[in-house]
Amino acid sequence: MAAIFQGVGAAAPLSSSPSNSFDSNKSVFSPPRSFSVVRSDGIVNLNPKGRSAQRLISNAVATKADSPAASSSSKPGHELLLFEALQEGLEEEMERDPRVCVMGEDVGHYGGSYKVTKGLAKRFGDLRVLDTPIAENSFTGMGIGAAMTGLRPVIEGMNMGFLLLAFNQISNNCGMLHYTSGGQFTIPVVIRGPGGVGRQLGAEHSQRLESYFQSIPGIQMVACSTPYNAKGLMKAAIRSENPVILFEHVLLYNLKERIPDEDYICNLEEAEMVRPGEHVTILTYSRMRYHVMQAAKTLVNKGYDPEVIDIRSLKPFDLHTIGNSVKKTHRVLIVEECMRTGGIGASLTAAITENFNDYLDAPIMCLSSQDVPTPYAGTLEEVTVVQPAQIVTAVEQLCQ
């Protein structure tokens, strides 16, 4: 295997490698039957086949942040689905830096379980796009070792739940080797894959592993939610010298958005202001961003002005953006798909309480998934996940 990685020619530094610091300021596939193509700035009904989902008001009074976008045909750039944006970012980085390689199950000529790596094996060859056996612990360890020698591997978990089999490698090696080697090694590895509650995928395929990985020292975690930030976070994670886990939601791969033609990256430690507001700060990420924005339409109709922030960086938190919002609204609602016990919301609640407690006029509220295995039955699955109507009710209670 060492010969394989030497063959990639990766250990030598690039003479024109871009800086790893960030300024704070095309494939086609047939989607699964349960997916629907929607725009990332629109109202998204992510409930299974519309079963018993409460339909919220869709023609709410628009504010400056809710104004309809201009016709997509008049905007510069090009339209991509989220999975295509991830693929484009990965392909651009592989073209830019010969040290970047991909490994995982079916990532080669099959193109990955959700086609994020489609066409890359044909373009870059089997050594840089390496199909692996069904052995997550083994190929994750192989990727970490490759990173120690100077490569920049992107490790795909066919499903995030499968990466529990590689937890030892991610925890004891990926997160700690830079420290335990006394700084002799950096581990510039990206671990990515689909996760979250899908549509009747069963408990084992509906894992939210953010809570598992957040306690590992030395690892950064980000969650993409739009094609724009999916591409930007993918490129930034590959260029980072730190190990980064990129969480992708299985129900967001077919979101469509127009993204710039020019090269760009997103800050790995920066939250995104989705909707400015005055009355309450709503912190969310990944799929729940769209449940929150759907609820925001109803809240505006009821006279509330919520501020919505997609935290994006799950570790570390962007406490600058979050803190400025808390100081303005004095009320916080956290909406997540992660489990309530020990989840991202629990950590975020602790961070806000420790740093901004004096600015709060009401206790922090957190809406999370129920602490139960995700049911297979669609109606039961829906009940375990936060729905827009619950968000509306929570904001009304906070603002009383």
Side-chain angles (χ1 to χ4, degrees), residues 137-167:
N137 192 57
S138 299
F139 69 72
T140 301
M142 182 173 65
I144 294 168
M148 293 172 67
T149 70
L151 298 184
R152 308 186 84 85
V154 178
I155 301 170
E156 175 178 314
M158 183 179 286
N159 181 281
M160 274 297 189
F162 301 161
L163 290 179
L164 289 174
L165 297 167
F167 194 86

Side-chain angles (χ1 to χ4, degrees), residues 280-281 331-333 362-365 393-400:
V280 59
T281 297
R331 293 173 175 83
V332 177
L333 172 64
I364 299 170
M365 291 187 66
T393 301
V395 170
E396 290 174 333
Q397 292 175 358
L398 265 176
C399 294
Q400 284 180 350

Side-chain angles (χ1 to χ4, degrees), residues 3-315:
I4 290 179
F5 290 126
Q6 289 171 4
V8 182
L14 292 178
S15 58
S16 59
S17 177
S19 171
N20 288 315
S21 63
F22 300 104
D23 187 352
S24 63
N25 285 334
K26 273 198 179 323
S27 62
V28 178
F29 80 111
S30 299
R33 59 179 176 83
S34 60
F35 278 17
S36 59
V37 177
V38 293
R39 295 191 183 279
S40 62
D41 54 359
I43 298 175
V44 182
N45 182 6
L46 295 176
N47 297 309
K49 304 174 186 176
R51 286 189 297 261
S52 71
Q54 180 173 350
R55 184 65 180 174
L56 298 184
I57 299 171
S58 60
N59 58 342
V61 177
T63 67
K64 58 182 179 294
D66 299 319
S67 300
S71 171
S72 61
S73 61
S74 64
K75 292 182 180 180
H78 55 290
E79 279 194 341
L80 290 178
L81 302 176
L82 190 143
F83 83 90
E84 294 173 320
L86 288 166
Q87 181 203 39
E88 185 173 272
L90 180 54
E91 185 172 11
E92 288 177 4
E93 290 304 299
M94 294 184 73
E95 178 69 27
R96 184 190 68 88
D97 187 344
R99 297 173 297 176
V100 179
C101 57
V102 181
M103 59 185 68
E105 298 155 359
D106 288 334
V107 299
H109 295 281
Y110 182 71
S113 56
Y114 289 90
K115 302 308 176 188
V116 173
T117 58
K118 185 176 176 65
L120 297 184
K122 183 176 180 180
R123 179 172 181 185
F124 297 104
D126 293 341
L127 292 182
R128 292 188 67 190
V129 186
L130 185 64
D131 272 323
T132 66
I134 303 175
E136 284 79 8
N137 192 57
S138 299
F139 69 72
T140 301
M142 182 173 65
I144 294 168
M148 293 172 67
T149 70
L151 298 184
R152 308 186 84 85
V154 178
I155 301 170
E156 175 178 314
M158 183 179 286
N159 181 281
M160 274 297 189
F162 301 161
L163 290 179
L164 289 174
L165 297 167
F167 194 86
N168 174 64
Q169 291 289 352
I170 296 171
S171 176
N172 286 327
N173 292 329
C174 187
M176 299 186 187
L177 273 172
H178 180 66
Y179 174 79
T180 56
S181 69
Q184 295 180 76
F185 297 110
T186 56
I187 316 295
V189 64
V190 178
I191 299 172
R192 53 154 296 270
V197 178
R199 290 202 175 113
Q200 296 182 255
L201 297 179
E204 297 89 347
H205 289 70
S206 301
Q207 296 275 27
R208 286 81 86 198
L209 297 189
E210 306 97 292
S211 59
Y212 289 69
F213 293 132
Q214 67 173 329
S215 61
I216 301 174
I219 285 181
Q220 287 186 265
M221 303 195 311
V222 292
C224 61
S225 55
T226 69
Y228 177 85
N229 66 40
K231 178 180 177 180
L233 291 172
M234 170 72 86
K235 292 170 70 71
I238 292 172
R239 298 183 190 187
S240 174
E241 294 299 324
N242 299 313
V244 179
I245 301 178
L246 173 59
F247 292 94
E248 304 157 13
H249 199 288
V250 68
L251 289 184
L252 299 186
Y253 278 125
N254 272 31
L255 285 175
K256 181 180 286 188
E257 183 180 32
R258 186 169 291 272
I259 68 174
D261 291 326
E262 62 270 14
D263 188 38
Y264 70 92
I265 57 175
C266 294
N267 194 322
L268 291 174
E269 300 179 9
E270 191 173 85
E272 176 187 350
M273 179 66 67
V274 180
R275 184 193 188 280
E278 298 291 336
H279 294 161
V280 59
T281 297
I282 305 180
L283 304 175
T284 189
Y285 65 94
S286 191
R287 175 196 179 193
M288 287 295 110
R289 168 176 174 154
Y290 298 97
H291 282 208
V292 169
M293 291 307 293
Q294 186 176 346
K297 298 292 184 180
T298 299
L299 290 168
V300 169
N301 232 19
K302 290 174 175 283
Y304 298 99
D305 187 17
E307 178 153 292
V308 180
I309 296 176
D310 184 342
I311 63 173
R312 287 199 316 203
S313 176
L314 308 184
K315 184 184 178 183

Side-chain angles (χ1 to χ4, degrees), residues 84 112 140 151 225 329 337 347 349 359:
E84 294 173 320
T140 301
L151 298 184
S225 55
T329 67
E337 195 178 84
S347 297
T349 299
Y359 297 95

